[in-house]
Amino acid sequence: RERWSNDVAFVLAAMGSAVGLGNFWRFPATAAANGGGQFFVPYLLSLFLIGLPLLLLELSAGQRFQSNAFDAFASINARAKGVGLAASLCGTLLVIYYMAIIAWTLVYFVYSFQVNGEGQLPWAGREAAFF
């Protein structure tokens, strides 16, 4: 089984996997700025009491058992196979979601450089409305 060459490579890969999740961090601040500050306390509680422990559990199980999520959680307890399956399924669903986001981005990128019948770019003269 392949392993990370060093700790820095792992940290950079872990940070890279979280790049697209900025909306999860931005949403509470936006909600608080618009009068939804009461949402912020349960959000922080669930983040620190559920999110971080589950993240540490998954990382430590993968490090301890040196196998995929399904087998690692099955090694802990036979009933925990579902946790590994759910982790794999969530990863698959995230990839499908991000494929759609990337496709939209590419379509709009190509569209923004197509010249219309007048020989102008579609956003020429109306930059504020287009962007």
Side-chain angles (χ1 to χ4, degrees):
R1 187 159 182 81
E2 292 184 34
R3 296 173 185 247
W4 295 103
S5 58
N6 57 38
D7 291 341
V8 174
F10 172 73
V11 170
L12 290 176
M15 287 171 37
S17 70
V19 165
L21 301 176
N23 289 334
F24 290 111
W25 294 106
R26 182 174 171 250
F27 178 68
T30 304
N34 293 311
Q38 67 272 13
F39 169 77
F40 199 60
V41 172
Y43 174 81
L44 285 178
L45 284 173
S46 62
L47 175 69
F48 288 112
L49 297 177
I50 298 171
L52 288 178
L54 286 177
L55 173 69
L56 292 175
L57 172 67
E58 188 173 354
L59 287 174
S60 59
Q63 184 177 10
R64 165 68 175 90
F65 295 107
Q66 296 291 314
S67 62
N68 59 41
F70 185 77
D71 291 338
F73 282 102
S75 297
I76 295 171
N77 188 331
R79 291 181 175 174
K81 289 180 186 178
V83 176
L85 183 63
S88 299
L89 183 62
C90 286
T92 302
L93 292 175
L94 279 174
V95 167
I96 292 170
Y97 171 75
Y98 280 121
M99 284 188 331
I101 299 296
I102 291 169
W104 287 339
T105 304
L106 291 175
V107 165
Y108 283 116
F109 180 74
V110 170
Y111 170 73
S112 68
F113 289 105
Q114 289 180 346
V115 177
N116 61 16
E118 301 169 358
Q120 293 182 339
L121 294 172
W123 43 267
R126 56 186 186 113
E127 290 86 1
F130 193 83
F131 295 107

